[in-house]
Amino acid sequence: MAAIDAALKAGEKILSIYNDPASDFEIERKADNSPLTIADRKAHEAIVAILNDTPFPVLSEEGKHLGYETRREWDTLWIVDPLDGTKEFIKRNGEFTVNIALVQNSVPVFGVIYVPVKKELYFGIEGAGAYKCSGIVGLEGDGVALEELVAKSERLPLKEVHDHLIVVASRSHLSPETESYIADLKKKHGSVELISSGSSIKICLVAEGKADVYPRFAPTMEWDTAAGHAIARAAGMEVYQAGKEEPLRYNKEDLLNPWFIVEPKREH
């Protein structure tokens, strides 16, 4: 429950800045020119304060990244993006998330994604399923058990019925390769509906059954996908490396992901 508590507390910090009319977000530019706000920093502090009490090290987008010679000794670790979708946060469109994953031997086994503006919490546990809890802002008291949270949640995927293929794509990063992949799907399936969304919500939409496939042929980092990947796996989906049968792997020497496709688990 530490990860769920951490995600909700980070969400609270993010919203206090997002909803403050006097806030200027204190936007800085990182080395790769991507934006960093005070909300990213406050969310990172809130998460690390909780996860540092667990036995596992934390790899966070906003933390200091230790060298691979240290990280490769970690068979279990947290991979965290305190505010995924900073561009969406700055645009004030609500499509940003807090992502926390527990990774064991390169595989995400537990994931939490919180959408602060919508008060929606997605979580998935290997072997125990994936869930969505709506209208949640915090855990009541310290003794809340996972069973209680599961009882208040919907099991994923939901029984969404649609008679055509639904593809989810990035609101900010639709590459020519993604467009050509979608064009191929149109040839195969005839009617294809395209829905756009920001941040890791896209992976959640496939896990939820609201979309059938999410192709991403553009750069992402491990912390962008680890939590969603765990939720997708727990919902019977997979995040495959594009053009391969293997899923994404984590805590690699290079933290950049290859291109990938989120879809139902393939039968071999």
Side-chain angles (χ1 to χ4, degrees):
M1 292 299 280
I4 290 173
D5 189 31
L8 294 171
K9 288 208 164 60
E12 190 186 338
K13 295 277 186 209
I14 292 166
L15 278 188
S16 69
I17 296 160
Y18 187 73
N19 293 330
D20 177 2
S23 175
D24 70 351
F25 293 173
E26 295 180 25
I27 299 165
E28 298 169 12
R29 291 277 156 188
K30 291 193 281 199
D32 64 356
N33 207 31
S34 60
L36 172 73
T37 67
I38 185 174
D40 295 81
R41 294 193 294 275
K42 295 282 187 202
H44 169 77
E45 287 161 15
I47 291 166
V48 168
I50 293 172
L51 295 187
N52 276 351
D53 287 340
T54 71
F56 312 119
V58 179
L59 175 64
S60 168
E61 177 175 16
E62 305 315 339
K64 298 266 183 290
H65 301 155
L66 294 174
Y68 185 60
E69 60 283 358
T70 305
R71 287 194 291 107
R72 70 176 173 196
E73 303 297 323
W74 301 349
D75 56 3
T76 305
L77 72 154
W78 298 104
I79 297 186
V80 174
D81 192 342
L83 201 176
D84 182 24
T86 302
K87 287 178 181 164
E88 319 303 335
F89 175 84
I90 294 165
K91 289 180 199 161
R92 290 188 175 274
N93 68 14
E95 293 179 358
F96 51 85
T97 59
V98 179
N99 302 347
I100 301 177
L102 186 68
V103 169
Q104 281 179 339
N105 301 317
S106 306
V107 178
V109 294
F110 171 54
V112 180
I113 290 179
Y114 185 49
V115 190
V117 168
K118 290 188 167 175
K119 302 181 177 59
E120 289 174 347
L121 176 76
Y122 295 87
F123 58 101
I125 307 155
E126 187 174 66
Y131 299 89
K132 178 185 181 180
C133 184
S134 301
I136 183 168
V137 288
L139 298 176
E140 301 87 2
D142 292 335
V144 180
L146 190 59
E147 291 74 24
E148 292 174 66
L149 196 58
V150 165
K152 285 196 269 193
S153 306
E154 300 173 283
R155 179 89 185 240
L156 304 181
L158 306 174
K159 293 288 172 271
E160 293 279 337
V161 180
H162 42 261
D163 56 5
H164 57 284
L165 194 76
I166 299 180
V167 181
V168 64
S170 169
R171 193 176 292 298
S172 304
H173 307 275
L174 195 57
S175 68
E177 291 86 355
T178 311
E179 287 176 340
S180 120
Y181 177 83
I182 293 167
D184 286 348
L185 287 177
K186 283 182 178 156
K187 282 183 204 153
K188 254 187 230 163
H189 296 272
S191 171
V192 171
E193 181 186 347
L194 188 61
I195 53 178
S196 294
S197 178
S199 70
S200 59
I201 295 169
K202 295 184 286 294
I203 305 179
C204 293
L205 289 171
V206 179
E208 207 172 339
K210 288 188 172 169
D212 299 297
V213 61
Y214 162 34
R216 178 62 178 239
F217 303 151
T220 56
M221 302 300 288
E222 289 190 6
W223 42 75
D224 295 318
T225 57
H229 192 165
I231 294 164
R233 289 179 76 242
M237 315 292 169
E238 189 51 273
V239 182
Y240 292 103
Q241 297 179 38
K244 297 186 179 178
E245 294 297 317
E246 290 92 58
L248 294 187
R249 309 285 289 168
Y250 293 87
N251 195 27
K252 305 185 303 300
E253 184 166 6
D254 180 355
L255 295 167
L256 186 69
N257 287 324
W259 293 356
F260 62 83
I261 295 169
V262 187
E263 62 184 15
K265 202 163 171 42
R266 297 171 190 162
E267 297 299 326
H268 292 294

